[in-house]
């Protein structure tokens, strides 16, 4: 997502019995979702195995510049799934203040030094105090860094009144 660009917000399509309002009143701003994406500790990744079976697993990540960066050995089930099928759904831990991202991932390769430093700083700020995790900017020189750019996101804080869908027009 281009820095500063806001996704288009609307109501998600759900069966009438769910009670999702038809008006835009109560839609959540994208900034509400970004706050939760930036502060989340664990992110649940839903991927698809090569044979079509689903796989879900939590992992650490950081939201930076409109994209979700996460790590993992190429030997993890998640990474092996994404190497074959890059589509992913990511859900934060809360079922009350919901943020769900859907989009595609890519191997980020070796990030440029300024980005690597920002990522190391972001991961350290988030995970050092509780897990003594302090990656260096060189951490991803040989791989293990993935990035997810959302195509669509969903969120709500009081279902169904605040149920919101965000579409990323540049995804």
């Amino acid at each position: 997502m281009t820095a500063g660009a806001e996704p288009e917000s609307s109501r998600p399509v759900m069966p009438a019995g769910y009670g999702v309002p038809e008006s835009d009143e109560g839609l959540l701003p994208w900034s509400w979702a970004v706050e939760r994406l930036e502060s989340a500790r664990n992110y649940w990744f839903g991927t698809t195995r090569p044979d079509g079976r689903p796989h879900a697993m939590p992992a650490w990540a950081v939201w930076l510049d409109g994209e979700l960066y996460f790590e993992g050995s190429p030997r993890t089930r998640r990474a092996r799934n994404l190497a074959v099928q890059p589509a992913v759904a990511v859900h934060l831990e809360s079922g009350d203040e919901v943020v769900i991202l859907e989009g595609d991932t890519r191997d980020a390769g070796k990030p440029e030094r300024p980005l690597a430093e920002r990522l190391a700083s972001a991961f350290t700020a988030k995970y050092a105090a509780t897990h003594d995790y302090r990656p260096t900017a060189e951490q991803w020189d040989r791989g293990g860094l993935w990035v997810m750019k959302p195509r669509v996101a969903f969120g709500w804080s009081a279902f169904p009144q605040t149920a919101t869908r965000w579409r990323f027009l540049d995804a």
Side-chain angles (χ1 to χ4, degrees):
M1 185 168 108
T2 306
E6 287 287 318
E8 178 182 279
S9 62
S10 62
R11 292 292 182 186
V13 177
M14 294 186 180
Y18 281 44
V20 174
E22 293 184 21
S23 76
D24 288 349
E25 185 178 341
L27 287 175
L28 295 169
W30 176 241
S31 60
W32 179 90
V34 168
E35 288 173 12
R36 280 140 190 87
L37 288 164
E38 289 175 342
S39 65
R41 172 173 280 318
N42 298 303
Y43 304 74
W44 282 89
F45 289 80
T47 61
T48 305
R49 290 178 168 94
D51 66 4
R53 291 181 299 135
H55 177 270
M57 186 68 65
W60 292 346
V62 295
W63 180 259
L64 192 64
D65 299 335
E67 296 180 312
L68 188 69
Y69 289 87
F70 57 100
E71 309 169 304
S73 164
R75 298 180 62 165
T76 63
R77 169 48 56 200
R78 179 182 66 244
R80 289 182 290 149
N81 291 349
L82 293 172
V84 175
Q85 171 52 270
V88 66
V90 180
H91 192 305
L92 303 185
E93 287 184 297
S94 177
D96 296 317
E97 290 196 339
V98 172
V99 178
I100 304 165
L101 305 175
E102 294 179 358
D104 291 324
T105 60
R106 68 181 190 285
D107 184 326
K110 179 181 176 180
E112 295 292 324
R113 182 67 183 204
L115 175 59
E117 289 174 355
R118 290 178 62 219
L119 287 167
S121 177
F123 273 104
T124 298
K126 193 180 257 194
Y127 300 107
T130 56
H131 290 83
D132 197 29
Y133 183 59
R134 293 174 172 81
T136 65
E138 298 78 28
Q139 169 103 8
W140 308 286
D141 284 359
R142 292 190 298 254
L145 180 66
W146 296 80
V147 61
M148 184 263 205
K149 183 176 186 110
R151 281 191 314 271
V152 65
F154 301 91
W156 56 82
S157 60
F159 188 85
Q161 296 83 4
T162 61
T164 303
R165 171 183 56 202
W166 297 280
R167 291 181 188 247
F168 299 84
L169 305 177
D170 63 348

